[in-house]
Amino acid sequence: MSSGVMHEVLAVLEKEWDAGRTAALATVVRTTGSAPRPSGTSMLVTSGGSVAGSVSGGCVEAAVYGQAMECISGAVPALVRYGVSDDDAFAAGLTCGGTIEVFIQALPPGASAVLGPVRDAADAGLPAAVATVVEHPDPGCLGLMMAVLPGQTIGSLGSQRATQSAADDTLGLLAAGRSGVLTYGPDGERLETGMSLFVSTLSPRPRMLIFGATDFTDALSRLGSFLGYRVTVCDARPVFATPERFPDADEVVNSWPHVYYRAQVEAGMISPRTVVCVLAHDAKFDIPLLAAVLGGPEVAYAGAMGSRRTHRERMKSLLEAGVEPAALAALHSPIGLDLGARTPEETAVSIAAEFISEAWGGTGAPLRLLTAPIHRAGQQPLTAPAASSAESPSPFPHQMLPPPDRRGTRQTPGNRAGSR
């Protein structure tokens, strides 16, 4: 599940456990076709009947809610499939053309022994994962959970062999910040089937670095925070870069942008999930910063605001600064998709639309003009904005399918606001 949902779920769970009550968790494990929510999406149901999270955007949640209440009352965990091919699909309300498999289990206060350390790790900004048995020939093994944290595992999946096999493979998913289904034999045997685990990873929030203290920065920091990023605003001018001007940013830094960025690289704080947006629109800041970004570690997205003339001059200056032509191809300049954006808020949407499209391999074209499925089955983000969705199980039980290639994507015109 996503970091934000995990925090929400665990916060509600802790209140229930503190009161000695049991809650139920429903998690989307697999999806096919045009499913309404990706794998890893979760919904928590309390014994009092309140709900946190979502598994379908409303399609099947009444049915899931009922099953969750049965689990709270003592029913065994269940992996339930909802889809248009089922006889009861219309009654369940899944009319969007896909199927989802949802694992529903009760979580009594004793589950805090496994999930509590996961919450602690998340609060400390550390990666963590939870592996749950969702299919097993022994019903008594359903719902067994194991937490995988840096340097330790907590909990058991029924046997030492199964626990060790799953721990090894979960560490691989955790390192990649990916969730997914792993399959083994009933005792953790590789290259067999019988036991399926759903591994939900919780990684620290991805970072969004915005350079330049402008009104566009304020709008983008608000949107970035809404999307789940840890937002940093950096500008060399203390009078403009203040927390009061950017209340939605997690931090506001007064520094020359390229100096700050290089320090972040040296500290290991730049990752393939980092989004970099250069909105200063000032060559003395932009050129040394972009040279550092394009010549440094891989990032999810790097974009720079400016007119087309500014873009041409910027590219020439970057080449003169020693940036390789191949590296320049990774720069999104002028920044954003062509939405006809005018206001800072509209421009922020166009920028976010571009890096979301880049992350998921979208085309940026209107959905009404396309015939392909809206939700690509089993797709992982190419450069994940958050660790939240899962692929279908691989034919090799302890491996995951490779990410899709980028065929079908297209270059899009720059944001018109870039001419400012």
Side-chain angles (χ1 to χ4, degrees), residues 61-82:
E61 286 177 348
V64 172
Y65 179 90
Q67 183 66 41
M69 294 302 292
E70 291 183 15
C71 288
I72 291 174
S73 298
V76 297
L79 183 63
V80 185
R81 183 175 183 270
Y82 302 95

CSV table of all heavy atoms in Angstrom, one decimal, residues 61-82:
chain,number,residue,atom,x,y,z
A,61,GLU,N,-17.1,-2.0,-2.5
A,61,GLU,CA,-16.7,-1.8,-1.1
A,61,GLU,C,-17.8,-2.2,-0.2
A,61,GLU,O,-17.5,-2.6,1.0
A,61,GLU,CB,-16.3,-0.4,-0.9
A,61,GLU,CG,-14.9,-0.1,-1.5
A,61,GLU,CD,-14.4,1.3,-1.4
A,61,GLU,OE1,-15.2,2.2,-1.0
A,61,GLU,OE2,-13.2,1.5,-1.6
A,62,ALA,N,-19.1,-2.2,-0.6
A,62,ALA,CA,-20.1,-2.7,0.3
A,62,ALA,C,-19.9,-4.2,0.6
A,62,ALA,O,-20.1,-4.7,1.7
A,62,ALA,CB,-21.5,-2.5,-0.3
A,63,ALA,N,-19.6,-5.0,-0.5
A,63,ALA,CA,-19.4,-6.4,-0.3
A,63,ALA,C,-18.1,-6.7,0.5
A,63,ALA,O,-18.1,-7.5,1.4
A,63,ALA,CB,-19.2,-7.1,-1.7
A,64,VAL,N,-17.1,-5.9,0.3
A,64,VAL,CA,-15.8,-6.1,1.1
A,64,VAL,C,-16.1,-5.7,2.5
A,64,VAL,O,-15.6,-6.4,3.5
A,64,VAL,CB,-14.7,-5.2,0.5
A,64,VAL,CG1,-13.5,-5.2,1.4
A,64,VAL,CG2,-14.3,-5.7,-0.9
A,65,TYR,N,-16.9,-4.6,2.7
A,65,TYR,CA,-17.2,-4.2,4.1
A,65,TYR,C,-17.9,-5.3,4.9
A,65,TYR,O,-17.6,-5.6,6.0
A,65,TYR,CB,-18.1,-3.0,4.0
A,65,TYR,CG,-18.5,-2.4,5.3
A,65,TYR,CD1,-17.8,-1.5,6.0
A,65,TYR,CD2,-19.7,-2.8,5.9
A,65,TYR,CE1,-18.2,-0.9,7.2
A,65,TYR,CE2,-20.1,-2.3,7.1
A,65,TYR,CZ,-19.4,-1.4,7.8
A,65,TYR,OH,-19.8,-0.8,9.0
A,66,GLY,N,-18.9,-6.0,4.2
A,66,GLY,CA,-19.6,-7.1,4.9
A,66,GLY,C,-18.7,-8.2,5.2
A,66,GLY,O,-18.8,-8.8,6.3
A,67,GLN,N,-17.8,-8.6,4.3
A,67,GLN,CA,-16.8,-9.7,4.6
A,67,GLN,C,-15.9,-9.3,5.7
A,67,GLN,O,-15.5,-10.1,6.6
A,67,GLN,CB,-16.0,-10.0,3.3
A,67,GLN,CG,-15.1,-11.2,3.5
A,67,GLN,CD,-15.8,-12.5,3.7
A,67,GLN,OE1,-16.8,-12.8,3.1
A,67,GLN,NE2,-15.3,-13.3,4.6
A,68,ALA,N,-15.5,-8.0,5.8
A,68,ALA,CA,-14.6,-7.5,6.8
A,68,ALA,C,-15.3,-7.6,8.2
A,68,ALA,O,-14.7,-8.1,9.2
A,68,ALA,CB,-14.2,-6.1,6.5
A,69,MET,N,-16.5,-7.3,8.3
A,69,MET,CA,-17.3,-7.4,9.5
A,69,MET,C,-17.4,-8.8,10.0
A,69,MET,O,-17.3,-9.1,11.2
A,69,MET,CB,-18.6,-6.7,9.4
A,69,MET,CG,-18.6,-5.2,9.2
A,69,MET,SD,-17.8,-4.3,10.5
A,69,MET,CE,-18.9,-4.5,11.9
A,70,GLU,N,-17.5,-9.7,9.0
A,70,GLU,CA,-17.6,-11.2,9.3
A,70,GLU,C,-16.2,-11.6,9.9
A,70,GLU,O,-16.2,-12.4,10.9
A,70,GLU,CB,-17.9,-12.0,8.1
A,70,GLU,CG,-19.4,-11.8,7.6
A,70,GLU,CD,-19.7,-12.7,6.5
A,70,GLU,OE1,-18.9,-13.7,6.2
A,70,GLU,OE2,-20.7,-12.5,5.8
A,71,CYS,N,-15.1,-11.1,9.4
A,71,CYS,CA,-13.8,-11.5,9.9
A,71,CYS,C,-13.6,-11.0,11.3
A,71,CYS,O,-13.1,-11.7,12.2
A,71,CYS,CB,-12.7,-10.9,9.0
A,71,CYS,SG,-12.5,-11.8,7.4
A,72,ILE,N,-14.1,-9.8,11.6
A,72,ILE,CA,-14.0,-9.2,12.9
A,72,ILE,C,-14.8,-10.1,13.9
A,72,ILE,O,-14.5,-10.3,15.1
A,72,ILE,CB,-14.6,-7.8,13.0
A,72,ILE,CG1,-13.6,-6.9,12.2
A,72,ILE,CG2,-14.8,-7.3,14.4
A,72,ILE,CD1,-14.1,-5.4,12.0
A,73,SER,N,-15.9,-10.7,13.4
A,73,SER,CA,-16.8,-11.5,14.2
A,73,SER,C,-16.2,-13.0,14.4
A,73,SER,O,-16.9,-13.8,15.1
A,73,SER,CB,-18.2,-11.6,13.7
A,73,SER,OG,-18.8,-10.3,13.7
A,74,GLY,N,-15.1,-13.3,13.7
A,74,GLY,CA,-14.5,-14.6,13.9
A,74,GLY,C,-14.3,-15.4,12.6
A,74,GLY,O,-13.8,-16.5,12.7
A,75,ALA,N,-14.8,-14.9,11.5
A,75,ALA,CA,-14.6,-15.7,10.2
A,75,ALA,C,-13.1,-15.7,9.9
A,75,ALA,O,-12.3,-14.8,10.2
A,75,ALA,CB,-15.4,-15.0,9.1
A,76,VAL,N,-12.7,-16.8,9.2
A,76,VAL,CA,-11.3,-17.0,8.8
A,76,VAL,C,-10.9,-16.0,7.7
A,76,VAL,O,-11.8,-15.5,7.0
A,76,VAL,CB,-11.0,-18.4,8.3
A,76,VAL,CG1,-11.2,-19.4,9.5
A,76,VAL,CG2,-11.8,-18.7,7.1
A,77,PRO,N,-9.7,-15.6,7.6
A,77,PRO,CA,-9.3,-14.7,6.5
A,77,PRO,C,-9.7,-15.3,5.1
A,77,PRO,O,-9.7,-16.5,5.0
A,77,PRO,CB,-7.7,-14.6,6.6
A,77,PRO,CG,-7.5,-15.0,8.0
A,77,PRO,CD,-8.5,-16.0,8.4
A,78,ALA,N,-9.9,-14.4,4.2
A,78,ALA,CA,-10.4,-14.9,2.9
A,78,ALA,C,-9.8,-14.1,1.7
A,78,ALA,O,-9.7,-12.9,1.9
A,78,ALA,CB,-12.0,-14.8,2.8
A,79,LEU,N,-9.5,-14.8,0.6
A,79,LEU,CA,-9.1,-14.1,-0.6
A,79,LEU,C,-10.3,-14.2,-1.5
A,79,LEU,O,-10.7,-15.2,-2.0
A,79,LEU,CB,-7.9,-14.8,-1.2
A,79,LEU,CG,-7.3,-14.2,-2.5
A,79,LEU,CD1,-6.8,-12.8,-2.2
A,79,LEU,CD2,-6.2,-15.1,-3.1
A,80,VAL,N,-10.9,-13.0,-1.8
A,80,VAL,CA,-12.2,-12.9,-2.5
A,80,VAL,C,-11.9,-12.2,-3.8
A,80,VAL,O,-11.3,-11.2,-3.9
A,80,VAL,CB,-13.2,-12.2,-1.7
A,80,VAL,CG1,-14.6,-12.2,-2.4
A,80,VAL,CG2,-13.3,-12.7,-0.3
A,81,ARG,N,-12.5,-12.8,-4.9
A,81,ARG,CA,-12.4,-12.3,-6.2
A,81,ARG,C,-13.7,-11.6,-6.7
A,81,ARG,O,-14.8,-12.1,-6.5
A,81,ARG,CB,-12.0,-13.4,-7.2
A,81,ARG,CG,-11.8,-12.9,-8.7
A,81,ARG,CD,-11.3,-14.1,-9.5
A,81,ARG,NE,-11.0,-13.8,-10.9
A,81,ARG,CZ,-11.9,-13.8,-11.9
A,81,ARG,NH1,-13.2,-14.1,-11.6
A,81,ARG,NH2,-11.5,-13.4,-13.1
A,82,TYR,N,-13.5,-10.4,-7.2
A,82,TYR,CA,-14.7,-9.6,-7.7
A,82,TYR,C,-14.4,-9.3,-9.1
A,82,TYR,O,-13.3,-8.8,-9.5
A,82,TYR,CB,-14.9,-8.3,-6.9
A,82,TYR,CG,-15.1,-8.5,-5.4
A,82,TYR,CD1,-14.0,-8.4,-4.5
A,82,TYR,CD2,-16.4,-8.8,-4.9
A,82,TYR,CE1,-14.2,-8.6,-3.2
A,82,TYR,CE2,-16.6,-9.0,-3.6
A,82,TYR,CZ,-15.5,-8.9,-2.7
A,82,TYR,OH,-15.7,-9.1,-1.4
